[in-house]
Amino acid sequence: GRIMRNYNVAFATLSALSLLLPGVSAAVDWSFSGRAETGFQYYSFEQSPVVTNTTQPARLNPSQPVTVTTTRSSRKFEDTMPMLGVGGTIFADRFFLDLSYLKAFDGSDSDDLRDTWNRPTGPFEFGLASDNTMKSKADFDREESALSLGYAVTDSFSVYGGWKWAKTDFKERRNGSFQIDAEGSFGVFGRLVGDFQDSVKYDFENNGPFLGAVYGWNFDGDKIKGNLSANIAIAFLDGKFENVKQSPTQTSNVEASFGGPFRPVLPDPRVDELVGEFVASGRDFDGDTTGVTFGVNWRGETNVEGLTYLLGLSAYQYSFDADNKNGSNGGDVDETVVTFRVGVGYAF
């Protein structure tokens, strides 16, 4: 009847919210439905190279500033992580209000990076050039939540909108080698080489509104009863990449050549500080994107009244354009997420 069709539309709408709203909802009049899910989430984070130009006063002649150029290579980390999710829904007639939370954890990947740092030769100033290669291993976790309000336009078609938030926390452990050259008018006259290690914590966070629609097909056979739904949603997100903490850089196997300015600092802990400046973790930035999420979901009925089982697959890719402030170019982020979910829902 009409009540059962509305019941299925509500389930189809909520289960099809995919990453935005992982789950299912059921109610007529005023009621509450809870859900719990598990599954796997493929996550990929890719950041384009960053070139930053900053102006510094010359040490001997501050009125003649010099431009320091830093180049940081692209980085990409990806993994398939286990995930857990919970949610709850209040539903009244054709309206629903839903809150969801999901956490994916134990992601890990590595990448080969290369960074450079260059301060050109100036009046009465020698230049410095640093070339650093490193192996970076990143561990990461991800969490997201969403709040939505929806309306069943027909027994099969619904629309919804709301707000979503997501955050990925990274911890990188970096091991590499460095080469720092002191350069004058006639070329390199001092060189410092060695190995280094450090760690850095940073996070990538995004949030913003979304709008979506879902269409469902009911199955009422003798052996299979449930609802298959497909949805599409568009999100308007602001993103923020922020360095949280960097450990002190530790150097080893340090050697100086060509004489030059480096030999006096070899026994000094200032070597760690000097190298740490050249291998700094990078810049913070803000960005924004408009992205689309697709999803398909199945909600199956059981012999227990009010109890359903859930299967879902959803995917999106968001490309965040960095703000490129303070002399920086690049650093755009591509974030790709594919989630497979299984779960149960129960209407009280």
Side-chain angles (χ1 to χ4, degrees):
R2 181 178 181 275
I3 292 179
M4 181 57 67
R5 290 195 300 269
N6 289 346
Y7 180 88
N8 286 333
V9 167
F11 267 112
T13 302
L14 291 170
S15 64
L17 295 187
S18 304
L19 286 178
L20 298 177
L21 293 174
V24 67
S25 143
V28 290
D29 298 325
W30 287 97
S31 68
F32 174 78
S33 174
R35 62 190 181 273
E37 299 176 321
T38 187
F40 297 93
Q41 184 176 91
Y42 166 79
Y43 179 75
S44 173
F45 174 90
E46 185 171 7
Q47 187 176 28
S48 67
V50 182
V51 178
T52 305
N53 295 302
T54 57
T55 301
Q56 298 181 358
R59 289 176 298 175
L60 298 181
N61 188 3
S63 63
Q64 297 293 326
V66 295
T67 299
V68 175
T69 301
T70 303
T71 302
R72 308 201 181 279
S73 63
S74 63
R75 68 181 72 191
K76 182 177 182 179
F77 301 116
E78 59 182 344
D79 198 6
T80 300
M81 303 177 283
M83 74 87 176
L84 296 172
V86 294
T89 308
I90 298 174
F91 190 84
D93 195 15
R94 289 184 173 270
F95 292 92
F96 67 84
L97 180 68
D98 185 270
L99 178 65
S100 65
Y101 174 80
L102 179 151
K103 185 174 180 66
F105 47 91
D106 290 341
S108 182
D109 197 14
S110 59
D111 199 1
D112 295 317
L113 308 179
R114 181 186 179 190
D115 297 342
T116 63
W117 191 98
N118 181 266
R119 187 186 71 195
T121 303
F124 307 105
E125 297 279 336
F126 65 84
L128 282 175
S130 173
D131 194 335
N132 317 297
T133 58
M134 67 196 82
K135 186 76 171 182
S136 179
K137 184 178 185 300
D139 298 323
F140 47 93
D141 299 323
R142 186 172 186 272
E143 56 185 333
E144 59 185 66
S145 62
L147 176 68
S148 78
L149 176 66
Y151 178 74
V153 181
T154 70
D155 293 338
S156 299
F157 178 71
S158 298
V159 294
Y160 56 88
W163 191 273
K164 69 165 293 188
W165 166 88
K167 181 180 180 182
T168 307
D169 294 311
F170 295 88
K171 181 178 181 180
E172 276 191 54
R173 296 184 299 277
R174 309 187 299 182
N175 294 274
S177 60
F178 65 89
Q179 175 179 305
I180 303 172
D181 290 339
E183 301 174 340
S185 300
F186 299 99
V188 176
F189 66 93
R191 175 169 292 169
L192 196 66
V193 298
D195 300 322
F196 74 92
Q197 63 178 6
D198 66 4
S199 65
V200 58
K201 294 181 180 180
Y202 56 90
D203 58 56
F204 180 65
E205 183 177 357
N206 58 75
N207 64 86
F210 61 86
L211 297 171
V214 57
Y215 192 88
W217 298 266
N218 290 323
F219 293 83
D220 193 17
D222 294 335
K223 296 182 178 180
I224 299 179
K225 292 185 178 182
N227 182 275
L228 178 67
S229 59
N231 85 298
I232 183 171
I234 184 170
F236 310 90
L237 304 177
D238 293 322
K240 183 176 183 179
F241 181 89
E242 183 176 20
N243 291 279
V244 179
K245 182 180 180 181
Q246 181 169 348
S247 69
T249 301
Q250 297 179 333
T251 58
S252 60
N253 304 319
V254 180
E255 296 181 359
S257 57
F258 296 102
F262 293 129
R263 287 191 179 277
V265 303
L266 274 179
D268 196 295
R270 285 178 297 172
V271 173
D272 290 351
E273 184 178 341
L274 176 67
V275 176
E277 180 182 353
F278 295 148
V279 298
S281 57
R283 71 183 182 103
D284 299 342
F285 78 89
D286 296 327
D288 57 71
T289 189
T290 300
V292 178
T293 297
F294 301 93
V296 291
N297 298 271
W298 168 260
R299 175 197 59 82
E301 298 181 11
T302 69
N303 293 329
V304 179
E305 184 178 358
L307 180 67
T308 59
Y309 67 92
L310 319 170
L311 299 172
L313 179 66
S314 55
Y316 70 76
Q317 181 182 42
Y318 294 154
S319 296
F320 291 84
D321 296 325
D323 54 22
N324 289 327
K325 296 178 180 179
N326 302 320
S328 294
N329 288 286
D332 299 339
V333 168
D334 287 337
E335 189 178 51
T336 303
V337 180
V338 180
T339 304
F340 172 74
R341 309 181 309 279
V342 297
V344 293
Y346 190 81
F348 296 91

